[in-house]
Each structure stands twice: as structure tokens, then as C-alpha cells.
Amino acid sequence: AEYMGRLRKMSNSNPTALDPSEFDYAIVVKKKVDTKKITHELEKRSLIWVKTPIEGEDSLELICVRASSFDVLLKTAERIELPKQKVDNDLRYAGRKMPFIKQKGESFQGWNQAKEALKNPNSFGEFFTVAERHEIVFRILQGIEKGEEDIEEIEGTESIFPIHDSKKLNQLWKNWKMSAINYSIDDIQSYFGAHTTYYFAFMRTYMRLLLFPSMFGVIFFFLGDVNSSSIVPLYSLAAIVWASFFLKSWERQELTKANDWGYLYFEKEEEDIRAKFWGEIRKSPITEKDEIYFPARKRRLRQFISSLAMTAMLSIAVGFMFLSLNLQGYVKSDSFFYVEPLNGWVDPNGWFTIIPTIIHSIVIYLINQFVYRKLAEHLTEFENYKTLSAFENALLFKRVIIEFFDCYLPLFYVCFHGQNLYQLRMELIGLFIGDILRRVFTETILPLFLQSATKKIKKTKVKVEKPKTGYYPSDDYFKDEYENFDDFLEIVVQFGYIVLFAGAFPEASVVALISNIVEVKSDSFKICFLCRKPPSLRAASIGGWKSVMRVFAAVAVMTNCYMFGFSSDQLSHIFPQFAWKAGQARYILMIVFALEHMMFGLQIYIDWVISSEPKNVRILKARDVYLAKHPE
């Protein structure tokens, strides 16, 4: 009765209050299934709901939900320990984000707005950002109270997704589209949440620091031949140092944002168990409570089976690589991988050699999207990981291994076996050009075309009268779900191109910077208008991607030193007395060996001297330790 009374009051006093575009989450349900259990659960959790059809779909409909009152948001925010900004005059935590407590609301910034919202049943005010409001509603849908069932698991539910706030989205896009490098990270976080925003924060730091090697890359574009250049080796060494500085800079930026957003200690908190994790019920030897248990020995067996499947898939990637290398004329006739009918179609010393490379990159992309990606996800699910982070790290490892073979194996073959710097350079140019064209087409042009075509094909008797804003939640049903895993993967692979083979293609940093400007524009447009709004999730870092880039930075020392000494004439131009002559090989090996160890030592020194934690974060952590010892 209280629920229906509040609903009628909202509808009578403000007709737009029940406009589906003003709600926070959409639940996709089947029309033929009785949804009374779903709606009953929503009402029990103090959520207002309204059903609306999906234009172009006869078998499905949407249930749009929002909190029935602002007080519901406040109480749930306290339950989930939502970080909110403290007032500047707070004696203990001035200006920091701390878990929200309703009874101490006066100690949080914006509390006056919250008090106004409590008086007005039709307005939630500006106390909570869009990301915070969506996180609260999402946690309510998942079930906070003991025994509450996840709405997404109830029969009849197809999926759930957040509803865009069209006014806030247009305001964000208006500012975001003005710059590709200097956009506001905090504005993005307040709308999309930390988990999604870390990608765009990483891209901003990456592009800003790419400006330094790009300036030198422009110079090398006009210098001509890099094979005999005595300056390129200096750039290679500088690129290795740059990689170390970049990774340190990002770690500091990452921790700064984690602190600003209140997630500094998030990764240390106990993680929730994945919904798809299964096993036997046993009494925990630690907590003595019932828990789901899956033996590690069974997972290791499943990991071994997965490795066999991955090895089989990798052999296919290697096969495509050698077909491409044969077409380019890079495989010699005495090689085991020589295929005579394919070899020599393209002059290995001509510009047309990049055509097989571009074709190879497109074929590999298609295989990755439709075979490797799904296989890696199924195998990771088969291994049955307990937590989301463990699942994501296992998936990341599989995808990175596949990408490493697909993208770098041809380059390593040309560099170490062919020892031809010119051919390595042409291979890199082809990969970069193919990658840029593919990104623009697959991430912007193709989704835009497919959505337009889908809406035209799906014309039925179901028509929806849309609000004046032009946005309607059912529009998002036909959009793809947004996930930044592939975006991160592409950028990490690009980082490898820049540092692993800096001596062969110094201009890579320039091309990468230009392509990344296009990438960020494309990704920002995609997340705002071509994809469903992702759920607002908490995060304190970009996860395992940092470890992958650290490995690339270390391997870059070996590849660039090898190119300097063995795959080019660079060393002989700097030290002509040590040119490749009889009896001189030992001296060349000594120079390369000494240079390699010097660069490894420099990387270790940079990692030791520059702290990963900014000074303000170190002070705040020390203060937290002090406050824990001296409570109020």
C-alpha cells in the first residue's frame, strides 16, 4: 500500500516522473513469462518500476526501475559503504572520500543538497553522481539482504543494463569531444564509474608521454635509412628508458586516482564469489562457515586440458604467419617452412610487401574475434575460478599469449632468423596501417551501420512514443555491451611494437600517437552512443596489464640490443673497427652483452629511485595507520 501510494503520488504531482528515460536500470524480460515474482521482488526492495515495450521486438519488454525515494539511496549507500567526499573542515579525513554514513551526513560534501532531495519526492538532486546512483540500484538488484535473490537470476529475466541519463551524457560528450588528450577523467568517472574510466585515464597518460618519443620519430622520418644510422641506436636506448618512465608515471597516476575516488584499499578487501563458480559445500577451516569449495588439483587438471586446446589454436596462428611470410618472400628456400607456390609473389624489398601483412592482420583479427576470443572465455570458465579477479587474470593470460604469437612471432622471425632490418621495418609499417584501418572500421563505422540496419529490419507493430529528449531505454537493447578488454589488449600490443622494435621503426611512436587520437575519439563515441552504458563498478587499478607491459619493457632490451649488433649495420657504423670480420665476433658479442646488462641495470635503477606511490598518497597511508592506532 505504501509503495502504490508513493507511485500514485509521483505520477499525479509530476507526470514525467514515470518516464522510462528518467529511470536508472532496465530489466529485459520475456513477455510470455509471468513477471509477478520479479515485480514483487522490486517492490520489496523499495524500487519503483514501469513496463515499456521494445520497439522492434514482440517477445520481449523492459521493466525500468529506480529507487522509490532518495532515502532508499542514502540507506543503501551506507550499506554498501559507498565512498563520498568529506567536508574540508573534517578534523580527521578532510577532503577525502570515505564510506558514507547517513547519521553523519553533515560531515560529507553536498549534504545540503541531500536534505533538499529528502523533502522533494520527485527529485534525487545532485548528491549522488550518475555512476554512484547506478551502483546503488545495481547492488539493490543483486540483493543486499540475506536471502535476497539476484534479479538477473530469476526466471524470465534475459539481462539487465543501466539506463543513460541523456542530459548528463550530452553534457559529458560536449566537453569530452573537444579534446583527445586533455579531457577530464573525473567527469568520466562520475558518469561511468572507476572500472571503465581507468582505460581512458591510461590512454590520456599514454598519449601525453608519447609526445616525447614522437618528436624524435618525426626527425627519423626525414633521415632515411635506419639500417646504417648511428643515431637510431641512441633512440632505441631512449625508448627503453622511456618505457620504464612511462610505467612508473602511470603507476603513480593510478594510485592518485584510486585515492581520489576512494578506492585506495579496494583490492585488499574480500572479493565476492563469482556467480558461475561451483563446487562442493564444505565447512571452511578458517571461518568454520559453509563455503563452496573446488579442489586446486582439479583446477590444475583443467588448466592442463586448456593448455592443450590453446596449443592447437596457436599452431593455426603459426601456420597463417608462415603463409604470409612466404608470400612476402621472407622465407628462404632451405627453410622447413618454405612453400614454393607462395614464395616470391611480392618483392621482399618493395613497398607492396606490406599488402600480405595487412591481409594477415585482418585475417588474424577475424579469427581472434570469432574463434580465439570465445575459446579463451570458454576455457577460462571451464577452469572454474572462484573470484572475478582470478577469472580475469586467467583470461588475460590466454588472450595475451594468443596475441603475442599472432602479432609478434612474424617480427621475431624476421629479426632473429632473417636478420633483415629493412624487412622488419616493412612488416611493422604494414601492421600499423592495417591496425589503424581496422580500428576505425570495426569500432565506429561498422557498429553504426549495423545498428541502423537492425532498426530498419526489426520493424514490427510495436511502436514506442519517445520523449522529447529523443532517448528511450529500448534503444539500448539493440546495442552491444561495452567492455574494454579488447581496447586494453590493442594498446598493450601497440606498446610492444613501439618498444620491442624501436631500432627498426622509430616513427612508430608518431603513428601510434596519431592512431590513438583517432582511437580515443572512436572509443568515446562508442561508449556514449554505440554501446549500452556499462555498469558502474569499483576498481583500484588496470589489473594485470601493467605486468604484461613490464615484461615487454624487459624483452625490449634484448630485441633492440640484438638488432643493434646482429640485424643491422648500426654497430659497424659506430665502431667500424668491430665490423663483421674474421676474429671480430667475440668483440661484437662483448659490446652487445655489456650494453644489454647496462640497460637492464638502468631499468632496475629507475624502478628503485622513482617511487610508485606519490608523496601525498604515502602521507595519507601513514595517516591512516596513525588514525587506526588513535581512534576517536
Side-chain angles (χ1 to χ4, degrees), residues 593-606:
F593 185 79
L595 182 63
E596 180 187 75
H597 280 64
M598 182 186 73
M599 294 310 299
F600 276 131
L602 186 57
Q603 282 186 332
I604 295 171
Y605 179 74
I606 292 172

Side-chain angles (χ1 to χ4, degrees), residues 19-26 52 55 62 64 134 161-170 191 455 464-477 479 527-533:
D19 180 353
S21 63
E22 298 295 325
F23 281 56
D24 290 319
Y25 253 84
T52 180
E55 188 172 24
L62 292 183
C64 300
H134 284 179
F161 59 86
I163 297 173
H164 275 295
D165 185 319
S166 57
K167 183 180 178 181
K168 296 289 186 182
L169 179 64
N170 291 331
Y191 188 84
K455 287 181 181 179
V464 176
E465 185 178 348
K466 297 186 179 181
K468 295 179 180 179
T469 59
Y471 170 74
Y472 204 74
S474 67
D475 295 340
D476 288 346
Y477 171 74
K479 297 177 182 178
I527 193 175
C528 288
F529 303 110
L530 300 182
C531 293
R532 294 179 182 178
K533 183 183 181 298

Side-chain angles (χ1 to χ4, degrees), residues 474-630:
S474 67
D475 295 340
D476 288 346
Y477 171 74
F478 299 103
K479 297 177 182 178
D480 293 329
E481 291 184 3
Y482 175 81
E483 58 95 20
N484 56 22
F485 188 96
D486 287 334
D487 293 330
F488 262 122
L489 187 60
E490 290 171 354
I491 297 303
V492 169
V493 168
Q494 182 195 91
F495 174 80
Y497 287 148
I498 294 172
V499 299
L500 289 172
F501 307 101
F505 190 33
E507 302 94 326
S509 55
V510 184
V511 181
L513 180 60
I514 296 171
S515 68
N516 287 341
I517 291 173
V518 177
E519 174 79 3
V520 167
K521 289 289 185 182
S522 170
D523 288 340
S524 60
F525 182 77
K526 178 177 70 174
I527 193 175
C528 288
F529 303 110
L530 300 182
C531 293
R532 294 179 182 178
K533 183 183 181 298
S536 301
L537 303 176
R538 303 182 190 186
S541 70
I542 62 173
W545 297 111
K546 285 184 297 185
S547 301
V548 176
M549 287 186 286
R550 282 189 173 278
V551 172
F552 284 174
V555 176
V557 174
M558 296 180 281
T559 54
N560 283 285
C561 287
Y562 188 90
M563 284 188 291
F564 170 66
F566 305 107
S567 297
S568 69
D569 299 326
Q570 293 170 355
L571 186 146
S572 60
H573 277 74
I574 298 176
F575 304 106
Q577 65 272 29
F578 296 135
W580 278 102
K581 299 176 184 177
Q584 299 295 323
R586 61 188 179 193
Y587 297 110
I588 295 174
L589 287 172
M590 287 175 60
I591 292 172
V592 173
F593 185 79
L595 182 63
E596 180 187 75
H597 280 64
M598 182 186 73
M599 294 310 299
F600 276 131
L602 186 57
Q603 282 186 332
I604 295 171
Y605 179 74
I606 292 172
D607 191 60
W608 174 63
V609 169
I610 303 176
S611 174
S612 299
E613 295 182 346
K615 184 178 179 180
N616 65 316
V617 174
R618 293 199 301 272
I619 292 173
L620 288 173
K621 282 189 170 183
R623 180 166 175 76
D624 287 340
V625 173
Y626 172 80
L627 292 175
K629 293 180 179 179
H630 302 82

